[in-house]
Amino acid sequence: VVLLLTTFYQTSHAALVTSGLIVNLDASNPASWDGTVWSDSSGNVDTATAINGPTYSASEGSFTFNGTNQYFYVGNPANLNFYNNAAFTIEVVFKLTS
């Protein structure tokens, strides 16, 4: 399972949701990235582990992927804090470079 949640890019449509989140992987928060693990800033203990070294840019608040084999691994969804057999929403914001 790949789970990417980030708040590095904001549009003028609406403010980003920042309260009531169960998992918040926020690339605009450099303290959440240790070079290998992306830590959940919602207050829960979920993490995402970088596979094959996606590149992090603190100035952009973003990750760059090679399009081939870089991603984040969160493990089995049943082991995540938000999993309780209920419906949930995953939001991913991304920007294509070409």
Side-chain angles (χ1 to χ4, degrees), residues 1 12 21 26 37 40 44 46 56 68 71 74-75 77 91 93 96:
V1 173
S12 60
L21 298 175
D26 184 355
V37 174
D40 174 17
N44 294 317
D46 295 313
Y56 179 67
T68 304
Y71 60 95
V74 296
E91 180 177 338
V93 179
L96 298 174

Side-chain angles (χ1 to χ4, degrees), residues 3-8 21-29 32 37-42 46-49 63 72 74 91:
L3 173 68
L4 299 175
L5 303 175
T6 183
T7 57
F8 72 88
L21 298 175
I22 303 210
V23 176
N24 184 17
L25 299 171
D26 184 355
S28 70
N29 177 5
S32 69
V37 174
W38 194 5
S39 298
D40 174 17
S41 60
S42 72
D46 295 313
T47 61
T49 302
F63 289 95
F72 281 93
V74 296
E91 180 177 338

Side-chain angles (χ1 to χ4, degrees), residues 9-17 91 93:
Y9 183 77
Q10 185 171 350
T11 67
S12 60
H13 298 289
L16 293 170
V17 174
E91 180 177 338
V93 179

Side-chain angles (χ1 to χ4, degrees), residues 22 77 81-90:
I22 303 210
N81 286 321
F82 68 84
Y83 184 80
N84 61 5
N85 292 321
F88 60 90
T89 300
I90 295 175

Side-chain angles (χ1 to χ4, degrees), residues 50-96:
I51 304 299
N52 296 317
T55 304
Y56 179 67
S57 169
S59 64
E60 294 285 327
S62 65
F63 289 95
T64 301
F65 301 88
N66 66 9
T68 304
N69 66 350
Q70 293 176 325
Y71 60 95
F72 281 93
Y73 179 74
V74 296
N76 183 338
N79 295 331
L80 296 174
N81 286 321
F82 68 84
Y83 184 80
N84 61 5
N85 292 321
F88 60 90
T89 300
I90 295 175
E91 180 177 338
V92 178
V93 179
F94 64 94
K95 177 182 170 186
L96 298 174

